[in-house]
Amino acid sequence: MLVARTQVRSRLRSLVVLGVLTGVTAGFVIASLSGALRTGSALDRLREQENAPDAVVFASQVDAGAHPDWSRLEARPEVTRVAPWGLAFGVFGPGGPPGVPEGPSLLFASMDGTYVGDVGRPIVVEGRMYDPDADDEVVIDENTSGVEVGDVLDFTAYAPDEVPFSGPASGVHLDVEVVGRVKTVAQFLFMSDGQAVLSPGFAAEHGDDALLVENADVQLRNGAADIAALQRSVDDVVAPGTPVLDLHEAARRVGTTTTVERTALNVLAAVILLAGLVLVGQAVIQSASAAADDLPTLSAMGMTRRTVSAMSLLVHTPTALTAAAAAAGTALVASIWFPIGMGGRLDPDRGVQPTWTVLVPGVLLVALAVLVGAGTATWFRRQTRARSSPPSSALAGIRRATPVPVGLGATMALGSGQGGTRLPARQALVGAAVGVLGVVATITLNAGLTDALDHPERAGVAWDAGGIVSGEGLQPDAVSPELLETIAATPGVAAIATIDRQVLPVDGVGVPTFAVRPTPGADVSPIDLVLTSGRAPEGTDEAAIGPASAADLGVGVGDEVTVGATDQQVSIVGEALFPTDVHATFDEGLWLDGEGFDRAAPAELNEVEGVQRQVAIEVADGASEEEVVAALQASVGDQFQDLGPAVTPVELSNLENVRMLPRVLAGFLALLAVGALGHVLATAARRRRKDFAVLRALGLTRWDSRVVLNVQGTVIGLVGLLVGIPAGIALGQLGWAVVAESVPLAVVQPVAALAVAALIPLALLVANGLAVWPGRRVARLRPGEVLRTE
């Protein structure tokens, strides 16, 4: 006890500093693990806090009337609540905010206060919620750009008997004030490009004077398990083929991103923990070993190994207590930064949010780890001190075949040694391999991300621009030839095609059904949808299907389905990706050829209930997409509902959020490798002072002494490269395949050969750079002085 008290007094400052380093490291591990847990639960917690719906019923996509009788649906046994909302079609007038252009507009309206009230209750992040009785107040979600709280919108609604976006609006006119900005589940799963919701007072006051086409959010008794029953009920009581958006399934629009973020945070915690074990753990072991330096003297005084180990525990108690306090403080402060990326946007409770199930065990564990590590290091010090082992045959061969400095450097890199000159060679080799592996895996994964983000066709975006045709651009059964000719003649346009879309019953389930009609006489490759497997339909009895629709229907390539009201039989010949919209994800749909579509789809062109016709535009190589769209807006913009660049699926664009985490991981892993290598080189220069002095006395030059450490660093670096590069490429490609298939994307194996090749000289340069300072120390040794003191 007296010896322990003496050591604590003499070493208190270093023991506390060691505790702080240990605690900060452990605190970041705890914070990363907590962040991973919060990322994984962020959407569920947001859904719970908002009392979110389970599905959206799109009655506006079929001939169900403007105001379906929702009470019939609410009476179904699987349904607990129906929250109707209306699409308020209108026009924004002049004099509004700079971010709101004049022209067609679409606002959402809560019909009876249930929608964005009891169901889908949003979190107000700025301003306030609207007054339910006011007819001129609106809230916007976090994705809405160009509009701020306090702005006033000049809004004129279409009258109930008018066709939206086909001419001027003559319904009710209001100055609508934006009173708040809110966070909603819908902004992540449904309306990713922004949503403005009118107060229920608008429907109550102006429901007879404005075109309001109703849809509804639905809550189910058993959640996702009742989606199939809901679809059958909707087909029965609303209209056959009415599409239902399963919001649990739509959660993968963000789920892929949060899964990658959660995995990355868990790996980040593992990396920090590994770095702590390699770097901070070495410091704890060395500190514990210092307590046993006088073991022979203490043994002569009658102290046993058990007593000395107990003494080491007492000495490091201040370190353990400091580490626990520092870990708790660091974890609490760092919790402000977690979750990050998509998880952070989803999280309804940002700020200091400790995860007690991780924090409390983590703090106790770090204190225990310090004490166990100190006691164990002291206990085994006596047993390992005199052990020695002959060099391996590989090391012996290197010594015989190479000059002395090279042989010595390789031996120090691959062999730990024994006793007081023992080196952490194994930790350095592992650290170098793991560091290279992490950097290469990140480079490979980042190559996959870059390829996908640079090539949106991987997510089904098969053209550069387009829009839904309206007004004079429509004929009874086609797009106006004059409109197509004008578009084709626009400079920079390489190819155009007409895309027909209508929700049709496929085996009784509403599925967005498409036909692609290329422009006759085009001298370039025609625009087509993106196939992920199989081939495109080539006859009226063939179709390609989206992966999600195939899973919902339980069919695959080679199976047959029935399409349309006439139950047309078609064979599935491939899987494809489709244009994304608010009603369906990009892997939902059915692709028919033109004649097959005409047989299955009705001929009406009502844009709310019938066939929706789009024009897809491919921009020529070297042409500016923005300039082509601007030219088209000026010439034919009034014949389109939403002419502009092709919409990138949110599932793909969300992957931009995960770029940072792999880079952070690579940075930590690279730091681990640098720290482990720098530590072993510095330790070699310190612990092998006597050996270097003896070698210098036997004729080793100062330059040779430097070469020994340079070779040691080079060999460790080469081992890391030989192990880490192939393992990193394999891990990066595997990780990207998992990400791509879960989105899903058309999988293209990423290759980053130049970046990986550049890593080889960089790693060797770093390894030799780390050897400069230790090499200088051994080169400046005075052999006589060292040997006399030793």
Side-chain angles (χ1 to χ4, degrees):
M1 193 72 175
L2 180 61
V3 176
R5 187 182 300 117
T6 302
Q7 287 208 16
V8 169
R9 287 176 178 174
S10 62
R11 299 172 52 198
L12 182 60
R13 180 176 298 177
S14 63
L15 291 171
V16 171
V17 170
L18 180 59
V20 170
L21 292 175
T22 305
V24 169
T25 303
F28 278 110
V29 173
I30 295 170
S32 297
L33 292 174
S34 299
L37 287 176
R38 292 183 64 80
T39 297
S41 66
L43 180 58
D44 290 338
R45 287 184 287 112
L46 181 61
R47 286 182 57 86
E48 181 179 0
Q49 187 162 331
E50 292 190 3
N51 193 28
D54 297 295
V56 184
V57 176
F58 291 108
S60 63
Q61 293 292 293
V62 293
D63 188 9
H67 303 285
D69 182 2
W70 297 112
S71 63
R72 298 178 63 200
L73 182 62
E74 195 162 28
R76 289 293 171 129
E78 74 275 5
V79 177
T80 60
R81 199 72 181 272
V82 174
W85 50 271
L87 295 172
F89 296 91
V91 175
F92 284 136
V100 180
E102 295 182 44
S105 66
L106 181 63
L107 301 180
F108 290 68
S110 178
M111 299 303 294
D112 60 5
T114 307
Y115 174 74
V116 193
D118 294 335
V119 176
R121 182 176 53 252
I123 298 171
V124 178
V125 296
E126 182 184 359
R128 61 174 175 85
M129 197 61 192
Y130 52 52
D131 179 354
D133 296 324
D135 66 342
D136 59 353
E137 293 186 353
V138 67
V139 293
I140 57 176
D141 68 16
E142 292 178 310
N143 291 341
T144 304
S145 60
V147 185
E148 301 297 334
V149 174
D151 287 344
V152 176
L153 310 176
D154 184 302
F155 179 71
T156 302
Y158 281 98
D161 59 346
E162 293 177 329
V163 178
F165 311 136
S166 61
S170 61
V172 62
H173 173 267
L174 292 172
D175 289 331
V176 181
E177 182 183 2
V178 179
V179 297
R181 188 181 294 272
V182 297
K183 181 196 293 285
T184 70
V185 172
Q187 76 185 55
F188 300 101
L189 307 185
F190 175 38
M191 288 295 296
S192 59
D193 55 349
Q195 182 181 20
V197 183
L198 286 160
S199 166
F202 178 86
E205 184 73 21
H206 307 292
D208 296 334
D209 305 320
L211 176 61
L212 286 171
V213 181
E214 290 188 34
N215 299 296
D217 284 3
V218 178
Q219 287 184 328
L220 299 171
R221 195 171 306 280
N222 299 306
D226 281 338
I227 291 293
L230 174 66
Q231 180 69 70
R232 291 190 294 270
S233 295
V234 167
D235 289 341
D236 184 25
V237 304
V238 179
T242 302
V244 174
L245 178 63
D246 179 355
L247 291 176
H248 298 278
E249 172 64 22
R252 64 180 177 78
R253 289 180 167 176
V254 297
T256 300
T257 303
T258 55
T259 297
V260 173
E261 290 174 351
R262 185 175 70 248
T263 302
L265 285 172
N266 282 323
V267 175
L268 178 62
V271 169
I272 299 173
L273 179 61
L274 182 59
L277 291 175
V278 172
L279 302 176
V280 180
Q282 287 288 325
V284 172
I285 291 172
Q286 290 177 13
S287 176
S289 298
D293 284 342
D294 298 327
L295 189 57
T297 303
L298 297 174
S299 298
M301 296 170 58
M303 294 182 66
T304 64
R305 183 173 58 187
R306 186 187 303 274
T307 306
V308 175
S309 296
M311 179 197 70
S312 182
L313 290 177
L314 291 174
V315 169
H316 288 86
T317 297
T319 303
L321 295 175
T322 303
T330 301
L332 287 172
V333 172
S335 69
I336 299 173
W337 308 322
F338 294 102
I340 60 179
M342 177 58 68
R345 292 180 57 204
L346 287 165
D347 198 315
D349 302 305
R350 292 303 299 273
V352 179
Q353 292 289 341
T355 305
W356 298 109
T357 54
V358 178
L359 179 63
V360 174
V363 169
L364 295 176
L365 189 60
V366 69
L368 182 62
V370 170
L371 295 176
V372 171
T376 303
T378 307
W379 178 272
F380 286 102
R381 175 67 181 272
R382 188 174 182 180
Q383 291 182 334
T384 59
R385 192 164 187 177
R387 289 186 180 181
S388 63
S389 58
S392 66
S393 57
L395 283 178
I398 293 174
R399 289 178 178 178
R400 287 193 299 268
T402 58
V404 172
V406 176
L408 288 173
T411 300
M412 292 169 60
L414 302 176
S416 299
Q418 58 276 329
T421 61
R422 186 176 180 84
L423 299 176
R426 184 174 301 174
Q427 293 93 322
L429 291 171
V430 172
V434 171
V436 173
L437 182 151
V439 172
V440 172
T442 300
I443 290 173
T444 305
L445 182 61
N446 193 63
L449 284 169
T450 300
D451 173 78
L453 292 169
D454 290 345
H455 297 86
E457 62 268 22
R458 307 279 189 253
V461 183
W463 47 85
D464 300 312
I468 300 173
V469 183
S470 62
E472 296 180 0
L474 283 176
Q475 290 187 343
D477 59 356
V479 175
S480 162
E482 292 78 15
L483 174 61
L484 295 177
E485 289 175 6
T486 302
I487 295 173
T490 302
V493 173
I496 60 175
T498 300
I499 312 295
D500 292 347
R501 177 192 186 277
Q502 184 171 11
V503 177
L504 297 176
V506 178
D507 280 356
V509 176
V511 176
T513 304
F514 295 82
V516 182
R517 305 179 193 270
T519 303
D523 56 357
V524 295
S525 299
I527 293 174
D528 251 337
L529 299 177
V530 176
L531 286 165
T532 58
S533 65
R535 61 178 177 83
E538 297 176 353
T540 59
D541 60 348
E542 293 183 347
I545 195 168
S549 296
D552 291 341
L553 297 171
V555 299
V557 175
D559 294 330
E560 291 189 347
V561 295
T562 59
V563 185
T566 59
D567 291 337
Q568 177 180 334
Q569 290 280 121
V570 296
S571 297
I572 305 299
V573 296
E575 287 195 351
L577 303 177
F578 298 88
T580 187
D581 59 36
V582 298
H583 307 107
T585 56
F586 69 100
D587 57 352
E588 294 179 303
L590 189 76
W591 178 10
L592 301 173
D593 78 341
E595 187 177 350
F597 183 90
D598 291 338
R599 288 185 180 182
E604 303 93 273
L605 291 180
N606 185 307
E607 292 176 359
V608 176
E609 299 174 353
V611 178
Q612 181 189 83
R613 304 196 189 276
Q614 308 175 47
V615 173
I617 301 167
E618 182 179 324
V619 176
D621 293 339
S624 167
E625 181 179 298
E626 291 76 13
E627 291 179 359
V628 171
V629 169
L632 290 171
Q633 287 281 13
S635 60
V636 296
D638 59 345
Q639 299 182 58
F640 281 90
Q641 179 177 321
D642 54 357
L643 180 62
V647 178
T648 299
V650 67
E651 293 92 332
L652 176 60
S653 57
N654 278 342
L655 290 179
E656 186 71 42
N657 293 305
V658 308
R659 279 181 177 268
M660 180 183 67
L661 278 174
R663 293 171 181 173
V664 171
L665 285 175
F668 266 98
L669 288 167
L671 180 63
L672 168 66
V674 169
L677 180 55
H679 176 67
V680 75
L681 292 173
T683 302
R686 184 179 71 255
R687 292 189 178 181
R688 300 282 174 92
R689 290 176 72 251
K690 181 180 178 181
D691 294 339
F692 277 110
V694 171
L695 291 171
R696 289 283 303 281
L698 294 176
L700 197 73
T701 66
R702 291 187 174 185
W703 176 253
D704 289 339
S705 300
R706 288 178 176 268
V707 169
V708 170
L709 291 175
N710 280 94
V711 171
Q712 182 185 10
T714 300
V715 170
I716 293 174
L718 286 173
V719 170
L721 291 168
L722 289 173
V723 175
I725 287 179
I729 291 174
L731 182 62
Q733 291 185 341
L734 176 62
W736 175 244
V738 171
V739 172
E741 290 175 5
S742 62
V743 171
L745 304 172
V747 179
V748 176
Q749 286 293 358
V751 177
L754 290 178
V756 172
L759 181 64
I760 297 174
L762 179 61
L764 296 178
L765 182 64
V766 170
N768 282 273
L770 291 172
V772 170
W773 180 75
R776 184 180 180 186
R777 286 188 61 185
V778 298
R780 297 176 66 180
L781 287 176
R782 298 180 182 273
E785 294 181 3
V786 173
L787 294 176
R788 274 199 305 273
T789 56
E790 292 288 341

